[in-house]
Amino acid sequence: MRKFYTITFMALLVAMLVAYIPPTAAQDGSDGLPEYTGEPAELRFSWWGNDDRAERTMKVIDLFEAAYPDITVVGEPNGGAGDHFQILDTQLAANDAPDIIQFGGNWPDYTQYLEPLNDYLGAQLLIDTPETFDQAALVPATDADGNLYAISLGTNTLVLAYNKTMIEAAGVDLPADNLSWDELIAYGEELKAGLPEGVAPFVDNSTNQANYLSYFYTQQGTPIWTLDDGGTSYATLESAQKWLQMWADMRDAGLIPDADTTYTYTEDGPDSSAFVAGKAAINLIWSNQAAAYQAAMTDELGMTTLPTGGEPAYAIQMSQYLAVNQNSENKEAAALFINFFVTSPEAGAILETNRGVPSSPVVRQAIAEQATPLDAAIYHIYDAVSDRTVPQGPNLPNDQEFVNELELIGQQVAYGQSSVDQAAEDLQALIERLAVK
């Protein structure tokens, strides 16, 4: 069995909430920004996210263009993550991809298209010291040969968001932190009795979020993908059966919506969520999405931890990354934009924790004074899971294919087109096939 190492909260505190230390004198411009030495340039920048993220991003673009009048940035928001990568894949195939691209943990699947950023460190990218950027945040975006391909936009973790208003109206206590799986399901049964007809305790998160599945597998001591021996999967058929059966039992008990309701809402964000639509009281989201979900709801949102059980498995991970297209004709300008995006206190004050807890100590200091109650709740989650956190693990190779196929497997079970046993075999076969590519 693979051995896991727990990160203490103090280590997280040092890594993510370290006190402000003034930036070094390595910045060349009179305004503290690196100078641009190229000709007038236009950059394209693509990302996924809802309207709130787009609005914040465009405001940062305006600030950047004011600081660098010779550089224009055209924003290309692509909706949900699935839409983003489908569009990106088409653009890359046509050699028409943006200069700056937002990625998740799947960036290794795209390294053939990306510009290594090592030569920009200390020049256009002033993130090469602990005073300017958490150096640990560079590690997950660096390949085995030492090539840095992407820059972290912050740290993030999964949480269970709950409709506080709805639960209180049901006459049930709010969910406690660190419930076990059995305790969480029992809580759902209690909650179901007080909810209106047609409202389920939980969103069906069985296969619409691969990271939840991965979390459960890691708890079982059977992580889906590791870098052991150059890349090893410990996934088992037994873990697949346990996961799928648990959700099938919840569906039979009315603890999650029926199949039609589940697949009406894609859960790509608040605009397509059964939770926001009032069809369920508890949903799995990323911590950096909390503000957007709250903005889309009139009811009050709260947050609690993922269930406990088995091996430590709670990952505090890099939320998203920015990378540069190797075919960009304006790589210097693109690097300067990324630098501004992740190190400017003014940009950080606009972005807040929309893409995660910032990796720049300077930015964290700038936004600390304006922390919202939701941000405070996120910091509480970090504290509550401190004794069961693990280092961020790698995504399964061909991660987007895994995400797509996983959802199809879940649909087949939900609609009765596949038994749990058959679906478990299909899931195990999918993991084994992708693990050897």
Side-chain angles (χ1 to χ4, degrees):
M1 183 178 295
R2 185 179 180 220
K3 186 176 182 181
F4 297 94
Y5 297 91
T6 300
I7 302 175
T8 66
F9 180 63
M10 184 58 69
L12 288 172
L13 198 63
V14 170
M16 294 177 293
L17 302 176
V18 63
Y20 168 66
I21 302 175
T24 66
Q27 300 173 331
D28 298 322
S30 59
D31 54 2
L33 295 171
E35 294 180 1
Y36 178 52
T37 63
E39 299 294 323
E42 179 176 285
L43 301 173
R44 294 165 54 207
F45 169 33
S46 69
W47 68 88
W48 74 85
N50 63 0
D51 290 343
D52 175 63
R53 176 171 294 170
E55 183 178 353
R56 292 171 186 265
T57 302
M58 294 307 297
K59 288 180 179 179
V60 172
I61 287 175
D62 289 342
L63 284 179
F64 174 79
E65 291 178 337
Y68 291 96
D70 287 337
I71 306 174
T72 300
V73 181
V74 178
E76 299 182 7
N78 285 333
D83 295 330
H84 172 76
F85 287 107
Q86 183 176 14
I87 293 169
L88 176 62
D89 290 344
T90 300
Q91 291 172 326
L92 288 169
N95 195 28
D96 187 37
D99 302 88
I100 306 160
I101 306 167
Q102 180 176 297
F103 287 98
N106 61 341
W107 67 265
D109 294 337
Y110 292 86
T111 53
Q112 62 180 310
Y113 302 108
L114 304 182
E115 171 78 358
L117 299 174
N118 305 64
D119 291 344
Y120 299 87
L121 293 174
Q124 293 80 19
L125 291 172
L126 299 180
I127 59 171
D128 55 327
T129 68
E131 292 78 18
T132 57
F133 206 75
D134 297 336
Q135 297 303 286
L138 302 179
V139 176
T142 302
D143 70 5
D145 296 324
N147 296 308
L148 175 67
Y149 281 106
I151 306 303
S152 166
L153 296 179
T155 59
N156 203 9
T157 195
L158 287 170
V159 299
L160 291 178
Y162 58 81
N163 187 319
K164 182 178 179 182
T165 305
M166 182 183 289
I167 292 174
E168 289 177 339
V172 178
D173 291 338
L174 299 178
D177 292 333
N178 295 323
L179 295 177
S180 68
W181 284 102
D182 288 343
E183 289 170 337
L184 181 66
I185 291 171
Y187 176 82
E189 292 169 346
E190 178 187 4
L191 180 58
K192 181 177 184 293
L195 291 173
E197 185 175 353
V199 180
F202 306 105
V203 170
D204 182 353
N205 296 127
S206 58
T207 57
N208 64 8
Q209 175 54 266
N211 294 82
Y212 207 13
L213 175 78
S214 179
Y215 171 79
F216 180 82
Y217 271 63
T218 302
Q219 286 184 316
Q220 300 295 308
T222 59
I224 291 176
W225 185 245
T226 74
L227 296 181
D228 295 356
D229 301 322
T232 302
S233 174
Y234 295 92
T236 66
L237 180 61
E238 181 182 10
S239 290
Q241 290 170 328
K242 286 182 178 179
W243 177 257
L244 293 170
Q245 188 64 58
M246 178 176 68
W247 288 94
D249 291 344
M250 291 170 67
R251 186 177 297 109
D252 290 342
L255 299 184
I256 57 178
D258 59 32
D260 285 342
T261 301
T262 292
Y263 292 103
T264 296
Y265 299 94
T266 59
E267 302 300 334
D268 290 327
D271 296 336
S272 60
S273 173
F275 174 68
V276 173
K279 302 295 184 181
I282 301 174
N283 187 27
L284 181 82
I285 68 171
W286 288 101
S287 57
N288 68 303
Q289 293 178 311
Y293 273 79
Q294 181 61 87
M297 301 169 61
T298 55
D299 289 353
E300 184 178 356
L301 180 149
M303 285 179 283
T304 188
T305 65
L306 305 192
T308 63
E311 300 279 353
Y314 224 119
I316 305 297
Q317 63 182 35
M318 302 301 112
S319 61
Q320 292 142 35
Y321 302 88
L322 292 186
V324 176
N325 183 346
Q326 68 173 3
N327 289 331
S328 171
E329 296 180 356
N330 301 294
K331 296 185 180 71
E332 178 191 357
L336 288 172
F337 178 78
I338 294 176
N339 180 77
F340 187 88
F341 207 86
V342 301
T343 68
S344 165
E346 291 78 14
I350 292 171
L351 297 169
E352 296 180 307
T353 58
N354 182 268
R355 287 178 169 91
V357 178
S359 296
S360 163
V362 179
V363 172
R364 285 199 297 269
Q365 177 69 18
I367 69 175
E369 297 177 358
Q370 62 187 51
T372 66
L374 281 179
D375 286 341
I378 292 169
Y379 299 147
H380 168 75
I381 295 289
Y382 277 62
D383 192 12
V385 301
S386 62
D387 62 346
R388 56 191 181 103
T389 55
V390 298
Q392 176 184 353
N395 284 27
L396 187 68
N398 301 287
D399 178 69
Q400 193 58 46
E401 182 178 354
F402 179 57
V403 169
N404 295 341
E405 292 295 323
L406 177 62
E407 187 163 6
L408 291 176
I409 290 172
Q411 285 182 346
Q412 290 169 348
V413 175
Y415 280 106
Q417 298 170 350
S418 178
S419 67
V420 166
D421 287 344
Q422 181 59 57
E425 291 180 7
D426 293 342
L427 176 53
Q428 180 65 16
L430 173 64
I431 293 171
E432 291 177 357
R433 175 170 62 83
L434 296 180
V436 298
K437 282 190 175 182

